[in-house]
Amino acid sequence: MTPLQAWEVEEGVDGFELHMGPARRAIDEVLERIDPDQLPPGSGAGWALGAGGTDSSRTRSISAIQRKSPPRQARAANSSTQWRRSKTAEHGLALKLEHGAAMLVIRCGALVVGVSLASSSQPDPLAIDPDWPSAVPLLGLEQALEQTMLRRGVSREEVLDQLGRSLRHRVHLPLLWMLPQRWRLSAAQVPARLRTLAELLEGQLLSPALLHALVDELPILGTDLKREPSALERWQAETILWSGATSSLPGSLSELMATAVPNASAAPAATVSADRSLNPNGGLRLRNSGLAFLQSESCRRRNALLAQVFNRLAANLLTDQTWSLEGCRTGRSLIAALQGQGWTVRARLRSSVASFGLGASLPLATGDWAQVPLALPLRTGLLDPAAAPGPDRPEQRFLLPHSSLEMELVPSRPAEAAPLLLQYYQGTEGLCGWEGLNDLHRPWQNDRANGTVRYFDTPFEGEELLELIELCEVVALLHNGIATQQGLSFGGYGSLGFCIDSTALLQQAMRDRCSLFPILLSGLWRERLRGASTQARAKAGSSRWSDGHARALARHDRALNSLPLDLSIHGQAAIGGASERIRSSAPVSSPFLLRPGG
């Protein structure tokens, strides 16, 4: 395939029309079909390309297309102005150039050739594979931003200013990390409290080391928030907040199941109030309009209630004032009771592309929505295994995963009620523990059947599942206790690891291996966890602690010592192990062109 950077515009070609295509197309595919030697010879008529204004020193002429070494890009790469028609000619001239990412489309009858004036930076890591099978239209983030700019007739800077203002809403903060290179927000374009983050991220992708460094900035993100409940308070809560109302935990299993409506259809996401972060007149919206949830609202509420039931049962480790459901005082005993009633219960470790719950979509002329897949590109700190060896071999990049332990509970009569779906992880919700698996159904990211969710290792069932539940309770006790004692933001998210770390800890403790990347739980916080474990071991003889909890605590301590750390990877064994974990963390199927090894 001919690289776009190998084409350059020189001298004027009579009879050609040059313009910036409204939508970025795969011009390199066009170039493969065109022999530049067959282009009509130029007549030397010459057209001038000029930047807006009267600066004649920035003009240059165009007359022929020739295949050359990489073009002279310095004059274009730093320009943020819009190129305009600078000389009227019979066939016209229109061109837009912003920060070196212009695409020229040159037409002569049926012949089309593309010319890129872009810099030679690495390809867009969030580019979408047009051949990936999708039930909904997909559009790359960079394309969606460009279409927003063109439809609204505004400059890139105006779009960026509006994006910067949206960061006042906590849910939109991951945009700092997801925006394409030429759309990165400068420190001046974000709220003052986020400028350190913006300065760290401007002009580069995240790496494991940088992601770890950002943990120190996480308290800044919560400075304008009201006082939040501590991790232990969330863990011990006997209520949940659902649709703005407080609901008490059920007093019986039958009460829990009565909250679900059998065979209810999934509710569309269109009921969300209008997003004002960008002008809605044809522009990008920071939500996935037009999608549905996997389950109905009543089923999702039931998932949330059962998740908090397991959290509250685990919190019995803290106090003699125990809470119970159906006479069960631990998660282990509740699952055993359900299995005794004919329920099927299993848990699986899972991984998918992370978007932090953030979505985006663009309205189409048909009235439908183009969905904009979002992800967080990450530098790995390793050389790209798919690139040719040499001094210029690039660093491998991949998309940060979201990982968790998924638990599926199928009632004894599946035809009468949908399965209950839960997930366990260290999350941004403010605790380490169980949550309802209630994400919006994004078929390019979190579909449980099409390969966008990767399940690794065999399922946990039977006695191994019961031991795993005891381990989850012990890990939650340690993590939530330290987060509360230290006053950590977001319940210790980041400091005590991310969702990847908590999931890897479970796998390491139960299966004595790790399949996830990157692992960022650092030595300082491992030491704090060991200290908390020592204190908990002194309580292991009390009536609140079973022998299973004591064994889980020992498993946890061994796993802390064995779990890898990906801040600096060196040595063939470590590099080989990290490379394998990068592959096993990635989804089996994904619309993103950026994939491990590619």
Side-chain angles (χ1 to χ4, degrees), residues 428-444:
T428 58
E429 293 84 359
L431 81 162
C432 176
W434 294 97
E435 296 284 343
L437 187 54
N438 291 334
D439 295 333
L440 192 66
H441 182 220
R442 299 180 175 97
W444 62 89

PDB file of all heavy atoms in Angstrom, residues 428-444:
ATOM      1  N   THR A 428     -14.776   3.077  39.728  1.00  0.00           N
ATOM      2  CA  THR A 428     -14.923   4.517  39.964  1.00  0.00           C
ATOM      3  C   THR A 428     -16.170   4.841  40.779  1.00  0.00           C
ATOM      4  O   THR A 428     -16.396   6.000  41.119  1.00  0.00           O
ATOM      5  CB  THR A 428     -14.995   5.270  38.619  1.00  0.00           C
ATOM      6  OG1 THR A 428     -16.099   4.752  37.853  1.00  0.00           O
ATOM      7  CG2 THR A 428     -13.709   5.107  37.828  1.00  0.00           C
ATOM      8  N   GLU A 429     -16.981   3.822  41.081  1.00  0.00           N
ATOM      9  CA  GLU A 429     -18.194   4.054  41.871  1.00  0.00           C
ATOM     10  C   GLU A 429     -17.882   4.379  43.324  1.00  0.00           C
ATOM     11  O   GLU A 429     -18.773   4.794  44.070  1.00  0.00           O
ATOM     12  CB  GLU A 429     -19.110   2.827  41.806  1.00  0.00           C
ATOM     13  CG  GLU A 429     -19.702   2.549  40.442  1.00  0.00           C
ATOM     14  CD  GLU A 429     -18.758   1.759  39.545  1.00  0.00           C
ATOM     15  OE1 GLU A 429     -17.628   1.456  39.991  1.00  0.00           O
ATOM     16  OE2 GLU A 429     -19.146   1.429  38.411  1.00  0.00           O
ATOM     17  N   GLY A 430     -16.633   4.201  43.756  1.00  0.00           N
ATOM     18  CA  GLY A 430     -16.263   4.587  45.109  1.00  0.00           C
ATOM     19  C   GLY A 430     -16.040   3.447  46.068  1.00  0.00           C
ATOM     20  O   GLY A 430     -15.949   3.677  47.284  1.00  0.00           O
ATOM     21  N   LEU A 431     -15.933   2.223  45.567  1.00  0.00           N
ATOM     22  CA  LEU A 431     -15.659   1.079  46.444  1.00  0.00           C
ATOM     23  C   LEU A 431     -15.101  -0.064  45.621  1.00  0.00           C
ATOM     24  O   LEU A 431     -15.159  -0.059  44.383  1.00  0.00           O
ATOM     25  CB  LEU A 431     -16.915   0.620  47.176  1.00  0.00           C
ATOM     26  CG  LEU A 431     -17.921  -0.277  46.426  1.00  0.00           C
ATOM     27  CD1 LEU A 431     -18.845  -0.980  47.410  1.00  0.00           C
ATOM     28  CD2 LEU A 431     -18.733   0.508  45.418  1.00  0.00           C
ATOM     29  N   CYS A 432     -14.575  -1.046  46.316  1.00  0.00           N
ATOM     30  CA  CYS A 432     -14.227  -2.322  45.710  1.00  0.00           C
ATOM     31  C   CYS A 432     -15.330  -3.296  46.094  1.00  0.00           C
ATOM     32  O   CYS A 432     -15.592  -3.506  47.287  1.00  0.00           O
ATOM     33  CB  CYS A 432     -12.868  -2.801  46.228  1.00  0.00           C
ATOM     34  SG  CYS A 432     -12.378  -4.448  45.635  1.00  0.00           S
ATOM     35  N   GLY A 433     -16.002  -3.860  45.115  1.00  0.00           N
ATOM     36  CA  GLY A 433     -17.103  -4.757  45.427  1.00  0.00           C
ATOM     37  C   GLY A 433     -17.946  -5.078  44.213  1.00  0.00           C
ATOM     38  O   GLY A 433     -17.499  -4.954  43.068  1.00  0.00           O
ATOM     39  N   TRP A 434     -19.177  -5.463  44.481  1.00  0.00           N
ATOM     40  CA  TRP A 434     -20.100  -5.898  43.439  1.00  0.00           C
ATOM     41  C   TRP A 434     -20.944  -4.731  42.927  1.00  0.00           C
ATOM     42  O   TRP A 434     -21.340  -3.859  43.694  1.00  0.00           O
ATOM     43  CB  TRP A 434     -21.027  -6.985  43.965  1.00  0.00           C
ATOM     44  CG  TRP A 434     -20.323  -8.268  44.302  1.00  0.00           C
ATOM     45  CD1 TRP A 434     -19.895  -8.670  45.538  1.00  0.00           C
ATOM     46  CD2 TRP A 434     -19.964  -9.311  43.387  1.00  0.00           C
ATOM     47  NE1 TRP A 434     -19.288  -9.895  45.451  1.00  0.00           N
ATOM     48  CE2 TRP A 434     -19.311 -10.320  44.136  1.00  0.00           C
ATOM     49  CE3 TRP A 434     -20.120  -9.499  42.019  1.00  0.00           C
ATOM     50  CZ2 TRP A 434     -18.829 -11.490  43.564  1.00  0.00           C
ATOM     51  CZ3 TRP A 434     -19.638 -10.666  41.444  1.00  0.00           C
ATOM     52  CH2 TRP A 434     -19.003 -11.644  42.208  1.00  0.00           C
ATOM     53  N   GLU A 435     -21.200  -4.749  41.636  1.00  0.00           N
ATOM     54  CA  GLU A 435     -22.111  -3.804  40.982  1.00  0.00           C
ATOM     55  C   GLU A 435     -22.994  -4.595  40.020  1.00  0.00           C
ATOM     56  O   GLU A 435     -22.602  -5.663  39.538  1.00  0.00           O
ATOM     57  CB  GLU A 435     -21.342  -2.733  40.184  1.00  0.00           C
ATOM     58  CG  GLU A 435     -20.480  -1.812  41.020  1.00  0.00           C
ATOM     59  CD  GLU A 435     -21.276  -0.753  41.759  1.00  0.00           C
ATOM     60  OE1 GLU A 435     -22.453  -0.524  41.381  1.00  0.00           O
ATOM     61  OE2 GLU A 435     -20.746  -0.164  42.711  1.00  0.00           O
ATOM     62  N   GLY A 436     -24.176  -4.063  39.715  1.00  0.00           N
ATOM     63  CA  GLY A 436     -24.987  -4.674  38.668  1.00  0.00           C
ATOM     64  C   GLY A 436     -24.297  -4.515  37.315  1.00  0.00           C
ATOM     65  O   GLY A 436     -23.708  -3.470  37.026  1.00  0.00           O
ATOM     66  N   LEU A 437     -24.352  -5.549  36.496  1.00  0.00           N
ATOM     67  CA  LEU A 437     -23.783  -5.468  35.151  1.00  0.00           C
ATOM     68  C   LEU A 437     -24.845  -4.837  34.254  1.00  0.00           C
ATOM     69  O   LEU A 437     -25.546  -5.510  33.497  1.00  0.00           O
ATOM     70  CB  LEU A 437     -23.393  -6.864  34.659  1.00  0.00           C
ATOM     71  CG  LEU A 437     -22.626  -6.943  33.336  1.00  0.00           C
ATOM     72  CD1 LEU A 437     -21.379  -6.078  33.362  1.00  0.00           C
ATOM     73  CD2 LEU A 437     -22.251  -8.383  33.026  1.00  0.00           C
ATOM     74  N   ASN A 438     -24.933  -3.518  34.341  1.00  0.00           N
ATOM     75  CA  ASN A 438     -26.060  -2.789  33.751  1.00  0.00           C
ATOM     76  C   ASN A 438     -25.618  -1.787  32.686  1.00  0.00           C
ATOM     77  O   ASN A 438     -26.310  -0.800  32.451  1.00  0.00           O
ATOM     78  CB  ASN A 438     -26.829  -2.048  34.849  1.00  0.00           C
ATOM     79  CG  ASN A 438     -27.571  -2.996  35.776  1.00  0.00           C
ATOM     80  OD1 ASN A 438     -27.921  -4.114  35.395  1.00  0.00           O
ATOM     81  ND2 ASN A 438     -27.797  -2.558  37.001  1.00  0.00           N
ATOM     82  N   ASP A 439     -24.484  -2.015  32.062  1.00  0.00           N
ATOM     83  CA  ASP A 439     -24.000  -1.066  31.067  1.00  0.00           C
ATOM     84  C   ASP A 439     -24.931  -1.004  29.861  1.00  0.00           C
ATOM     85  O   ASP A 439     -25.615  -1.979  29.518  1.00  0.00           O
ATOM     86  CB  ASP A 439     -22.604  -1.467  30.574  1.00  0.00           C
ATOM     87  CG  ASP A 439     -21.563  -1.384  31.678  1.00  0.00           C
ATOM     88  OD1 ASP A 439     -21.765  -0.585  32.602  1.00  0.00           O
ATOM     89  OD2 ASP A 439     -20.568  -2.123  31.610  1.00  0.00           O
ATOM     90  N   LEU A 440     -24.936   0.163  29.214  1.00  0.00           N
ATOM     91  CA  LEU A 440     -25.620   0.280  27.937  1.00  0.00           C
ATOM     92  C   LEU A 440     -25.030  -0.741  26.967  1.00  0.00           C
ATOM     93  O   LEU A 440     -23.819  -0.961  26.943  1.00  0.00           O
ATOM     94  CB  LEU A 440     -25.417   1.698  27.391  1.00  0.00           C
ATOM     95  CG  LEU A 440     -26.273   2.134  26.202  1.00  0.00           C
ATOM     96  CD1 LEU A 440     -27.736   2.204  26.599  1.00  0.00           C
ATOM     97  CD2 LEU A 440     -25.786   3.494  25.699  1.00  0.00           C
ATOM     98  N   HIS A 441     -25.876  -1.377  26.183  1.00  0.00           N
ATOM     99  CA  HIS A 441     -25.383  -2.402  25.268  1.00  0.00           C
ATOM    100  C   HIS A 441     -24.718  -1.744  24.062  1.00  0.00           C
ATOM    101  O   HIS A 441     -25.387  -1.190  23.186  1.00  0.00           O
ATOM    102  CB  HIS A 441     -26.533  -3.299  24.807  1.00  0.00           C
ATOM    103  CG  HIS A 441     -26.086  -4.399  23.892  1.00  0.00           C
ATOM    104  ND1 HIS A 441     -26.800  -4.785  22.795  1.00  0.00           N
ATOM    105  CD2 HIS A 441     -24.979  -5.173  23.918  1.00  0.00           C
ATOM    106  CE1 HIS A 441     -26.165  -5.765  22.172  1.00  0.00           C
ATOM    107  NE2 HIS A 441     -25.056  -6.017  22.845  1.00  0.00           N
ATOM    108  N   ARG A 442     -23.394  -1.789  24.043  1.00  0.00           N
ATOM    109  CA  ARG A 442     -22.609  -1.268  22.922  1.00  0.00           C
ATOM    110  C   ARG A 442     -22.032  -2.471  22.178  1.00  0.00           C
ATOM    111  O   ARG A 442     -21.036  -3.061  22.612  1.00  0.00           O
ATOM    112  CB  ARG A 442     -21.494  -0.353  23.430  1.00  0.00           C
ATOM    113  CG  ARG A 442     -22.010   0.870  24.201  1.00  0.00           C
ATOM    114  CD  ARG A 442     -20.858   1.751  24.678  1.00  0.00           C
ATOM    115  NE  ARG A 442     -21.340   2.965  25.300  1.00  0.00           N
ATOM    116  CZ  ARG A 442     -21.492   3.140  26.618  1.00  0.00           C
ATOM    117  NH1 ARG A 442     -21.198   2.142  27.454  1.00  0.00           N
ATOM    118  NH2 ARG A 442     -21.936   4.285  27.096  1.00  0.00           N
ATOM    119  N   PRO A 443     -22.607  -2.855  21.044  1.00  0.00           N
ATOM    120  CA  PRO A 443     -22.213  -4.117  20.399  1.00  0.00           C
ATOM    121  C   PRO A 443     -20.769  -4.136  19.904  1.00  0.00           C
ATOM    122  O   PRO A 443     -20.241  -5.211  19.604  1.00  0.00           O
ATOM    123  CB  PRO A 443     -23.206  -4.244  19.234  1.00  0.00           C
ATOM    124  CG  PRO A 443     -23.752  -2.875  19.010  1.00  0.00           C
ATOM    125  CD  PRO A 443     -23.722  -2.191  20.342  1.00  0.00           C
ATOM    126  N   TRP A 444     -20.110  -2.980  19.825  1.00  0.00           N
ATOM    127  CA  TRP A 444     -18.711  -2.946  19.418  1.00  0.00           C
ATOM    128  C   TRP A 444     -17.771  -3.085  20.619  1.00  0.00           C
ATOM    129  O   TRP A 444     -16.558  -3.140  20.465  1.00  0.00           O
ATOM    130  CB  TRP A 444     -18.407  -1.630  18.705  1.00  0.00           C
ATOM    131  CG  TRP A 444     -18.614  -0.420  19.587  1.00  0.00           C
ATOM    132  CD1 TRP A 444     -17.713   0.174  20.414  1.00  0.00           C
ATOM    133  CD2 TRP A 444     -19.835   0.311  19.744  1.00  0.00           C
ATOM    134  NE1 TRP A 444     -18.295   1.233  21.078  1.00  0.00           N
ATOM    135  CE2 TRP A 444     -19.588   1.340  20.690  1.00  0.00           C
ATOM    136  CE3 TRP A 444     -21.109   0.210  19.174  1.00  0.00           C
ATOM    137  CZ2 TRP A 444     -20.573   2.258  21.067  1.00  0.00           C
ATOM    138  CZ3 TRP A 444     -22.074   1.130  19.574  1.00  0.00           C
ATOM    139  CH2 TRP A 444     -21.809   2.129  20.491  1.00  0.00           C
TER     140      TRP A 444
END
